Amino acid sequence: MPFAVVLILLVVGSILFHILSPWTFTELASNWAMVDFTVDITLWVTGVVFVAVNLFMAYCVIKFRHKKGARSTYEPENKKLETWLTGLTAVGVAAMLTPGLVVWDQFVSVPEEAHVVEAVGQQWHWTFRYPGKDGKLGEVDNERISSQNPFGIDPEDPNGQDDIVVYSPEAHIPLDRPVKFLLRSKDVLHDFAVAQFRVKMDLVPGMDTFLWLTPTKAGRFEILCEELCGIGHHTMRGAVIVDEQQDFDNWLARQSTFSEHMATPEGNAAIGAAQYGICAACHGQQGEGIVAMNAPKIAGMPDWYLKRQIKNYKRGLRGVHADDKFGQQMVGMVATLVDDTAIDNVTAHIATFPDKPPETTIDGDLAHGKKLYAVCAYCHGGDGMGNEALNAPRIAGMSDWYIARQLSNFKEGVRGAHPGDYYGFQMGLMGQSLHDEQAVNNIVAYINTL
Amino acid sequence: MSYVAIADRDHEQEHHDPQTFITKYIWSQDHKVIAVQYGITAIFVGLIALCLSAMMRLQLGFPDEFTFINPENYYQFITMHGMIMVIYLLTALFLGGFGNYLIPLMCGSRDMVFPYLNMLSYWVYLLSVIILIISFFVPGGSTGAGWTLYPPQAIMQGTPGIDLGIILMLVSLAVFIVAFTMGGLNYVTTVLQARCKGMTLMRMPLSVWGIFTATVLGLLAFPALLVSAIMMLLDKTLLTSFFMPAISSMGADPGYTGGSPILFQHLFWFFGHPEVYIVALPAFGIVSDLLSTHARKNIFGYRMMVWAIIAIGGLSFVVWAHHMYVSGMNPYFGFFFATTTLIIAVPTAIKVYNWRFGKAIFTCVSRCCFPSALFSRLFMAG
């Protein structure tokens, strides 16, 4: 009898939970309402069977409970009953299958008017490419990828010259227009998944895959990689931003094309030298860094990293947190660099400085630091020299006190908290695995030995 | 002369009476001892996997609180937990353990038909477990590629344990499959050839039916895993490109060209989906027998149950790509595999109904019945 009561309570509890549950579908933002419908149908079919089978069992436990002298009947088979049950199950299964097949048919048939956006995955970033005015994407090849040409676009292919390349993990698409995402991977398997759109697909190196949808709501929707792609898998975030057509056109016009990107002029170090004067007050004449001024060494730091950080300060992505007082000072200083040309010039000048090792200021447990560094080495390299392909700056031979402070800042959310600081955000996620100040000191002490 | 079942030809039987402690308990050819050896080893590695899952939960419950769990370890725990549970615990326990113990006893044969091979099967299995455990202690640690070991990621930069870790994992899998094949041939041959007089196929206990069908599945499915393990080993060590297309890994070109990661997924799941039933069918069979024993009723619809087991076994070979709908395979495959996948739900549902009816008409509820009743409930809810 208690068994029957438990069964009945379980059924009642399940139904009540379903009705009162705080868990609901993520809000839908695409045309794929049909996907939700198939989930609902499955829930209804299995739910009805669940309730029926359990209540039947509770009924039997009560009805046929032990009674003195009662004997069971021998009935090894019952063809009619078995046939009926098989038939009913087949009907239930067909009810679940049919909408699934219909929606899959729609999913594999991309509407002809869909515009194309290429999403490229790599460990652990997203980038995007739009066909330019000619509406055609240029040929690509993973073997052609370099730091100058991160997409591996064929420079000889006329179709590729006007391709719009977006070196950030944020893609914009216009509202209410069907879009086909072409998916491509540079290295390992990834998966393009946006919960609000309901559809997802793997990125497979060596081949192109696709998915399509029509966005029905404006807003910013997070892209999650949903195929394990290595140690930084959880930091591989991006966003699809759905705009009104006008906003989308404006945004697209601001992006640079492949040929513009390849033609970017080198900075002029001589002009940069004059502008560097204001930097020298804190960072030193040779970019060697001055501890007393809280200014780190910048000589020997790759220019792509310096440029990005200067731009982050200028755009309000860095140095805006109330606790980041040195960062706030830097915001004021970078204002003197009026445009991208100025930034290119000054970083070209910094590149001419001799790379002398700074004084070390931090000691720690090297063995422990080495163990912790194993995770850092995935991006920053075993030698700590960084890797542009992974957006990981050099950390060996730089100011150790500065690295320690930045690690704490990342961990505390003082740096990398702004959603526009994509790579800082990633470092914030990785920095979480450092447990305390001692761990930070040990790891920095080990980096000093590299 | 009328036919005499092999098990009844007493004078022809070779007896494996144990002579000394060593031949009785260690180098034993007795199926019962081998079964216990299999069971103990499987449960031992299962306990390791249990600890790994506890570590995963510590990280999930208290993120970044514990100094002994970093992102590398976490992926290694996930990978090894999954691999151990599915292959080294469940497959070994149900087939090596229950299979060895129950098949001769329930079929009424003296022992397995190839006792020496049976012994060898256990020792090779133990070897595969030892190789697996060694992989925890090599430089770089065990592989952290996820239990599906998808290339390119399993052997490329960016994943923990891409040196000795993944190599030992693949070698261990290959050795395990050798062990399983030796055991599997034994179970199948014994069931088909060494039943006692009167034990027709349609009278065999459902436990034996489950184990027998699962073994047939294993013999057909494991070779797919074996070849994919060997091919990936070649990709890793000799830089062949079975599964490796041209890629740019962390800004460098590792030199592969032309391979297909999807090919590995097809091979893996051609093994991986039958593997689900390799593990489930013996459990289905055991549950059927436990329920009917403790309910003191015969199995309801025995013949239907047998055919359901066979149908599940057959269908389990044509549903594998339902693990790959969004893997980038040709999207039109989706229609076929969605359909077969739901068709396999029909025989599975029949089994559940029959457990219900078998149990429905209780004459008494035994306490022992509870775990298996719980199983059939949980399975149904799942």
Side-chain angles (χ1 to χ4, degrees), chain A residues 56-82:
Chain A
F56 174 71
M57 184 151 151
Y59 163 79
C60 291
V61 170
I62 296 166
K63 168 98 180 176
F64 302 106
R65 66 185 180 277
H66 177 65
K67 289 186 201 101
K68 230 184 168 90
R71 292 186 60 82
S72 64
T73 46
Y74 177 69
E75 192 188 17
E77 287 188 354
N78 183 334
K79 254 214 177 95
K80 205 170 146 196
L81 183 61
E82 290 175 59

Side-chain angles (χ1 to χ4, degrees), chain A residues 123 187-189 205 227-231 378, chain B residues 79 83 141-170 173 228-229 232-233 235-237 243-244 247 249 256 261 264 268:
Chain A
Q123 287 171 321
D187 39 35
V188 301
L189 301 173
E227 181 70 58
L228 178 57
C229 58
I231 198 152
Y378 280 93
Chain B
T79 306
M83 200 53 109
S142 57
T143 177
W147 85 277
T148 52
L149 303 180
Y150 278 177
Q153 171 237 340
I155 59 174
M156 276 329 294
Q157 296 286 323
T159 298
I162 54 160
D163 299 316
L164 271 176
I166 182 71
I167 292 180
L168 288 180
M169 177 81 252
L170 295 170
L173 279 176
S228 47
M232 206 196 311
L233 264 181
D235 279 3
K236 168 72 196 161
T237 55
F243 305 133
M244 303 294 288
I247 59 179
S249 174
Y256 294 104
F264 176 87
F268 183 87

Side-chain angles (χ1 to χ4, degrees), chain B residues 65-136:
Chain B
E65 285 291 312
F66 298 96
T67 50
F68 50 86
I69 309 175
N70 68 20
E72 265 187 319
N73 303 143
Y74 184 76
Y75 287 134
Q76 290 167 331
F77 297 158
I78 283 188
T79 306
M80 297 312 269
H81 167 80
M83 200 53 109
I84 290 176
M85 284 301 189
V86 171
I87 304 215
Y88 297 87
L89 169 69
L90 285 174
T91 309
L93 184 66
F94 277 123
L95 298 181
F98 284 103
N100 257 315
Y101 208 97
L102 297 180
I103 290 175
L105 296 183
M106 286 185 151
C107 290
S109 44
R110 298 273 165 180
D111 200 326
M112 287 291 175
V113 287
F114 309 122
Y116 184 80
L117 197 63
N118 205 18
M119 176 183 78
L120 215 54
S121 160
Y122 169 71
W123 290 103
V124 176
Y125 163 61
L126 186 66
L127 178 68
S128 77
V129 169
I130 291 170
I131 297 173
L132 180 83
I133 291 173
I134 289 174
S135 84
F136 281 98

Side-chain angles (χ1 to χ4, degrees), chain A residues 283-360:
Chain A
H283 288 282
Q285 290 301 330
Q286 301 277 298
E288 68 273 18
I290 300 171
V291 187
M293 305 297 295
N294 288 296
K297 177 190 165 197
I298 47 177
M301 186 57 98
D303 65 338
W304 58 266
Y305 179 76
L306 292 174
K307 284 179 195 167
R308 176 178 298 150
Q309 294 311 315
I310 293 171
K311 287 174 188 169
N312 281 355
Y313 280 122
K314 280 179 80 80
R315 288 180 195 150
L317 304 180
R318 191 178 165 189
V320 287
H321 194 283
D323 292 339
D324 187 9
K325 50 182 194 292
F326 305 118
Q328 288 167 7
Q329 291 179 356
M330 190 66 193
V331 173
M333 307 311 280
V334 295
T336 59
L337 298 168
V338 289
D339 55 17
D340 284 1
T341 316
I343 296 173
D344 291 345
N345 292 343
V346 81
T347 51
H349 179 62
I350 293 170
T352 63
F353 293 153
D355 178 16
K356 285 183 243 156
E359 266 182 66
T360 58

Side-chain angles (χ1 to χ4, degrees), chain B residues 224-289:
Chain B
L225 183 65
L226 181 70
V227 294
S228 47
I230 292 172
M231 284 154 83
M232 206 196 311
L233 264 181
L234 294 175
D235 279 3
K236 168 72 196 161
T237 55
L238 301 180
L239 296 180
T240 56
S241 294
F242 290 111
F243 305 133
M244 303 294 288
I247 59 179
S248 165
S249 174
M250 306 202 155
D253 179 0
Y256 294 104
T257 181
S260 164
I262 300 266
L263 173 63
F264 176 87
Q265 297 181 27
H266 278 298
L267 285 170
F268 183 87
W269 289 113
F270 187 79
F271 144 78
H273 196 80
E275 169 66 22
V276 172
Y277 292 99
I278 292 169
V279 171
L281 287 179
F284 285 179
I286 290 167
V287 165
S288 304
D289 281 343

Side-chain angles (χ1 to χ4, degrees), chain A residues 108-128:
Chain A
V108 300
S109 321
V110 184
E112 271 178 25
E113 70 272 22
H115 70 104
V116 173
V117 178
E118 183 187 62
V120 181
Q122 69 170 90
Q123 287 171 321
W124 292 284
H125 308 287
W126 296 98
T127 46
F128 300 91

